[in-house]
Amino acid sequence: MTRITLDAPVPAALADELAKRIYFVSDRITDFTLIRSGDTVTAVDVTTQDAAAADLDALTRKLHLVVANDVLSQRQVEPKVVWRSAEGGAVRDVFPELLARGVAAELGEGQIALGEPVLSLMDHLDAEIRALVLDEFDAHEFRYPTLMSAPALRRTGYFESFPQLLMLVSRLHGDVDTYRAFLDTLTGGDGDDGGDLAAALRENTGDIDHVLPPTMCFHTYHQYADGPPPAPNTVVTSRGKAFRYESRYRRSLERLWDFTIREIVFLGTPDFVLASRARLMERAYALTESLGLGGRCEVAGDPFFLNESAAVRAWSQRLLEMKYELRLPLDDERDVAVASFNYHEQFFGKSFGIRDAGERPVFTGCAGFGLERLTYAFLCRHGVDPARWPAHVRKAVAR
């Protein structure tokens, strides 16, 4: 354990912003504790992979950079709550019970296998969201490929805003000599299978022209790039896997390396996009209450990282209410965002060349529901045993 004293104390209101970035300071950090004095954080105790070899000066420099650039430059504001529900009763973390019952299995950090009845519950919750989107907005539905081209993702601005979350796809160079060299390194040149896999991959890969998508809506913008959407005001929905590298993962379903998302994208005029987002939020509140889930929806911001305008962009998001999060409790002390509702103005219309009949960039908005998180919040409220679930959910899942 090494204590790093901060150049300037971090107000308690920004402690969460500091905490969510510390693991990205260095991949050598395996644990940390915020040291508080009164209403400020004055230091951070960090545990590293190899304490003897840890470069304290380098860790200190990196931590101070992140604190100054991404944390202290943010304004301190209490999240504005736009909706709150008193539905529901006691809530408790059921992840240990899921493991004990064999319903969930840990396959690696941030990688959880799920079985029944959780799978059917997750599909049912997704079907509820899908049905309300199709009924309310007459949405077009698509199933997108998992891979996305790196140039397409670059048009979203994701590389500049969230480099810490990127997931890249590499492959062996397409050449016989490369394949031979790979096999030789892997087998040690004598056919043995005990060669160094990491070295074999590192020495023979490098073509990174595709990425794993961090969300589904980027596929929709790519789909309509450099042209008009199919109608002046268009709604698209999709379900797929999203991937974000979080450096460290909590031992539960609340933060996964890859997760399933139901996405809804609005393209058109600003009035249409904003009105559609508001309607979807109201329908989401109603669905939350029908499921007996107490929670709240509040103004939120994205975790911009190491970007010179990170603090300004985060503050603008909150000030203009560009992003809302629907948050549901997991136990008495913590909750999780199960959905977000976003307004992008003309950002994606401009960056992807999506234009209306008058050749103006369209306005866009999107909403994403994290299905594992929503299912997990439901289980933390109602328990793992289907016999305790609301009757209409139990009946639907039992079909």
Side-chain angles (χ1 to χ4, degrees):
M1 182 78 71
T2 300
R3 176 161 297 184
I4 300 176
T5 301
L6 303 181
D7 282 342
V10 172
L14 295 176
D16 286 345
E17 294 295 330
L18 171 60
K20 71 177 61 172
R21 289 168 168 82
I22 287 178
Y23 282 129
F24 292 111
V25 169
S26 170
D27 59 10
R28 302 188 63 80
I29 297 176
T30 59
D31 199 5
F32 71 88
T33 301
L34 301 183
I35 305 303
R36 299 172 185 263
S37 176
D39 59 354
T40 63
V41 176
T42 58
V44 181
D45 283 348
V46 299
T47 302
T48 58
Q49 293 173 351
D50 185 348
D55 187 336
L56 180 59
D57 289 340
L59 282 179
T60 301
R61 175 183 58 79
K62 294 172 185 177
L63 179 60
H64 287 169
L65 171 63
V66 170
V67 169
N69 189 81
D70 290 10
V71 180
L72 288 178
S73 54
Q74 294 195 39
R75 301 193 187 189
Q76 302 174 50
V77 293
E78 285 294 321
K80 177 182 176 181
V81 176
V82 297
W83 174 83
R84 190 186 298 275
S85 173
E87 289 290 328
V91 60
R92 64 183 181 87
D93 187 349
V94 298
F95 189 66
E97 186 176 349
L98 292 173
L99 293 175
R101 290 182 175 225
V103 176
E106 296 175 293
L107 303 183
E109 197 173 14
Q111 301 169 69
I112 309 295
L114 294 173
E116 294 292 2
V118 176
L119 290 180
S120 292
L121 174 61
M122 188 166 72
D123 286 343
H124 169 67
L125 296 176
D126 176 53
E128 291 276 335
I129 300 168
R130 176 181 179 273
L132 76 83
V133 170
L134 295 179
D135 292 345
E136 187 79 20
F137 302 102
D138 192 26
H140 304 274
E141 185 167 23
F142 289 92
R143 179 172 295 175
Y144 294 115
T146 298
L147 295 181
M148 186 177 196
S149 74
L153 184 63
R154 187 173 188 179
R155 295 178 80 166
T156 70
Y158 201 85
F159 287 110
E160 294 82 4
S161 297
F162 311 107
Q164 79 279 21
L165 303 179
L166 283 170
M167 290 294 299
L168 309 176
V169 178
S170 187
R171 54 191 169 83
L172 296 177
H173 294 294
D175 182 274
V176 168
D177 290 340
T178 297
Y179 303 143
R180 186 70 264 167
F182 172 74
L183 294 175
D184 287 344
T185 304
L186 193 62
T187 63
D190 56 8
D192 184 18
D193 62 357
D196 188 338
L197 175 60
L201 292 172
R202 184 172 54 251
E203 294 168 8
N204 297 286
T205 59
D207 290 334
I208 303 175
D209 45 22
H210 283 78
V211 297
L212 294 173
T215 187
M216 287 295 100
C217 64
F218 292 165
H219 282 298
T220 302
Y221 306 134
H222 186 206
Q223 176 182 1
Y224 298 121
D226 305 313
N233 291 315
T234 296
V235 181
V236 174
T237 187
S238 61
R239 169 178 168 163
K241 279 287 191 178
F243 303 80
R244 298 175 194 174
Y245 177 69
E246 299 280 0
S247 184
R248 295 293 184 276
Y249 297 86
R250 194 179 187 97
R251 188 173 177 264
S252 74
L253 293 176
E254 64 189 280
R255 191 166 297 281
L256 298 173
W257 202 330
D258 69 286
F259 54 93
T260 314
I261 189 169
R262 165 63 63 177
E263 193 91 22
I264 303 95
V265 179
F266 307 106
L267 306 98
T269 66
D271 288 345
F272 168 77
V273 172
L274 287 170
S276 297
R277 182 179 68 158
R279 283 164 53 201
L280 180 58
M281 291 170 66
E282 291 296 329
R283 292 295 301 271
Y285 303 157
L287 175 61
T288 300
E289 293 189 321
S290 75
L291 294 170
L293 306 177
R296 70 187 187 280
C297 188
E298 65 186 28
V299 177
D302 287 312
F304 300 109
F305 189 72
L306 291 184
N307 186 296
E308 292 183 358
S309 61
V312 173
R313 295 173 68 183
W315 170 244
S316 296
Q317 267 192 322
R318 290 181 168 88
L319 181 66
L320 300 176
E321 299 189 13
M322 310 285 277
K323 182 183 185 74
Y324 299 100
E325 286 183 345
L326 176 62
R327 304 191 68 89
L328 302 181
L330 300 177
D331 58 27
D332 292 336
E333 297 182 352
R334 75 185 201 280
D335 56 27
V336 67
V338 303
S340 67
F341 309 89
N342 311 282
Y343 178 51
H344 316 121
E345 297 184 312
Q346 291 176 299
F347 178 84
F348 290 116
K350 291 177 179 177
S351 60
F352 280 90
I354 310 172
R355 300 184 175 276
D356 61 19
E359 289 298 308
R360 297 176 295 266
V362 301
F363 290 76
T364 66
C366 74
F369 292 80
L371 298 181
E372 286 89 356
R373 284 184 173 188
L374 177 58
T375 302
Y376 186 42
F378 178 97
L379 294 171
C380 289
R381 174 69 71 182
H382 295 297
V384 176
D385 186 354
R388 298 177 52 194
W389 298 352
H392 66 285
V393 176
R394 186 170 63 250
K395 181 179 179 181
V397 171
R399 291 174 185 171

